[in-house]
Amino acid sequence: MKKKFLLSFVSALISIFALGAVCVSAAQYGDLTYTVSNGRVTITDCNTSVTEVTIPQEIDGCPVTSIGYGTFKDCTDLTSVTIPHGVKSIENYAFYGCNSLTSITIPDSVTMIGMNAFRNCGNIANVYI
């Protein structure tokens, strides 16, 4: 009886760790860093020296659905961003401190813009929705 329990317990642990290992992965796409979770891409970081960014609609066949927390934080040379249709959220502090940002295109698929997402972006002159 104890052997069956121990074997079941060990099998359950192995399954949990194996699932956790394949659910989320991080990778690079040009100047962008992203994660894939449940078949959806979140952009999580960016090379801080970029000047213009066009976020792809999908990466490796998975749709880009989110701009993560602080993704472009302090990208002080960033002047222009185009976000594709299909992105649903721009998380907190996503563009915080992008003080050279003058133009951004946000599709109507975006239904959530987080707190301080554009804080300290005082030079935005053109917002296209």
Side-chain angles (χ1 to χ4, degrees):
M1 186 69 153
K2 286 183 182 180
K3 282 185 180 180
K4 274 188 172 180
F5 174 76
L6 184 58
L7 185 58
S8 295
F9 180 73
V10 170
S11 293
L13 281 178
I14 290 171
S15 296
I16 289 169
F17 288 120
L19 285 174
V22 296
C23 286
V24 177
S25 60
Q28 287 290 126
Y29 183 89
D31 288 316
L32 303 173
T33 302
Y34 67 95
T35 59
V36 178
S37 180
N38 298 319
R40 292 183 178 89
V41 173
T42 297
I43 306 298
T44 58
D45 200 6
C46 186
N47 178 339
T48 57
S49 65
V50 298
T51 57
E52 293 183 3
V53 172
T54 298
I55 296 169
Q57 193 165 11
E58 62 179 45
I59 298 175
D60 292 334
C62 297
V64 176
T65 60
S66 182
I67 310 301
Y69 181 98
T71 296
F72 295 95
K73 184 176 184 279
D74 295 326
C75 289
T76 56
D77 295 329
L78 184 62
T79 61
S80 173
V81 176
T82 301
I83 300 171
H85 185 77
V87 170
K88 296 178 184 345
S89 65
I90 300 171
E91 301 295 329
N92 298 346
Y93 299 96
F95 294 94
Y96 181 89
C98 295
N99 53 16
S100 295
L101 187 61
T102 58
S103 176
I104 186 160
T105 301
I106 302 172
D108 61 1
S109 60
V110 172
T111 58
M112 194 283 291
I113 297 177
M115 180 176 71
N116 296 311
F118 295 97
R119 186 170 185 150
N120 293 339
C121 297
N123 291 312
I124 295 176
N126 299 303
V127 177
Y128 303 98
I129 300 177

